Amino acid sequence: MRPTKENYFMQMADLVSERGTCARRKVGCVLVNEMGHVLATGYNGVAKDQTHCTSRPCPGAKCKSGEGLELCEAIHAEQNALLQCRDVYKIHTVYCTDSPCIHCIKLLLNTSCKRIIFRKEYPHSGSQKLWERSGRIWLSRQFLNSYFET
């Protein structure tokens, strides 16, 4: 059976997340244009030429989820995808394994992105409200499970 576009891109985000080098969580992100073409991908991990957190945990590695973000040395999946994207004004949808944090939402608000689709909620506050306040769409895969299966 042919997967829906949403399932296809979410599976791609899952695959991208496997490259993550953060000891806290592995996150994958896929940026897609309005035609359904991939513009860029990203996963979370430390900056280029730095020791991976999975090899030598950073100071934030043992913090609870959503806490100690200032101690974490990983660059977020969304940030890495944006760095790889040639034209952020072509982004229509972001597919992420985890919902974006408030910092990534602020960056994504400065693109043409209209929708964020994610698999699981990340423990933070304000992201959804800020995104939706600008008239953009926030979709949880769990909430829209039937939508993804059609």
Side-chain angles (χ1 to χ4, degrees):
M1 184 171 164
R2 185 175 188 219
T4 64
K5 283 186 180 182
E6 285 75 19
N7 274 330
Y8 174 72
F9 291 122
M10 284 305 299
Q11 289 174 12
M12 193 178 291
D14 288 335
L15 180 61
V16 171
S17 76
E18 292 179 24
R19 292 281 302 155
T21 61
C22 177
R24 291 172 77 162
R25 75 176 65 230
K26 291 184 178 213
V27 178
C29 176
V30 179
L31 306 179
V32 177
N33 70 13
E34 198 166 11
M35 298 292 294
H37 298 149
V38 175
L39 298 172
T41 64
Y43 54 86
N44 60 332
V46 296
K48 183 180 177 197
D49 298 327
Q50 301 297 308
T51 303
H52 295 306
C53 194
T54 50
S55 300
R56 185 192 48 143
C58 73
K62 296 194 181 204
C63 294
K64 290 181 182 177
S65 188
E67 296 179 7
L69 297 179
E70 70 283 358
L71 300 173
C72 179
E73 295 177 7
I75 299 166
H76 290 190
E78 301 90 337
Q79 295 166 346
N80 274 321
L82 286 169
L83 286 169
Q84 300 301 318
C85 188
R86 286 186 169 191
D87 187 351
V88 298
Y89 300 110
K90 290 186 178 179
I91 301 169
H92 182 267
T93 303
V94 172
Y95 293 89
C96 255
T97 55
D98 296 62
S99 61
C101 73
I102 191 73
H103 304 292
C104 290
I105 287 296
K106 290 175 187 178
L107 293 173
L108 290 166
L109 282 169
N110 268 354
T111 73
S112 62
C113 184
K114 304 289 183 232
R115 303 185 314 158
I116 294 175
I117 299 175
F118 59 93
R119 185 172 310 287
K120 55 189 174 221
E121 189 76 34
Y122 180 71
H124 50 74
S125 61
S127 295
Q128 181 176 357
K129 187 188 316 184
L130 182 59
W131 186 256
E132 289 178 337
R133 193 169 65 214
S134 69
R136 301 179 194 205
I137 300 167
W138 179 272
L139 300 171
S140 163
R141 185 174 190 310
Q142 292 171 340
F143 180 72
L144 296 172
N145 202 29
S146 61
Y147 172 75
F148 281 90
E149 300 306 321
T150 60

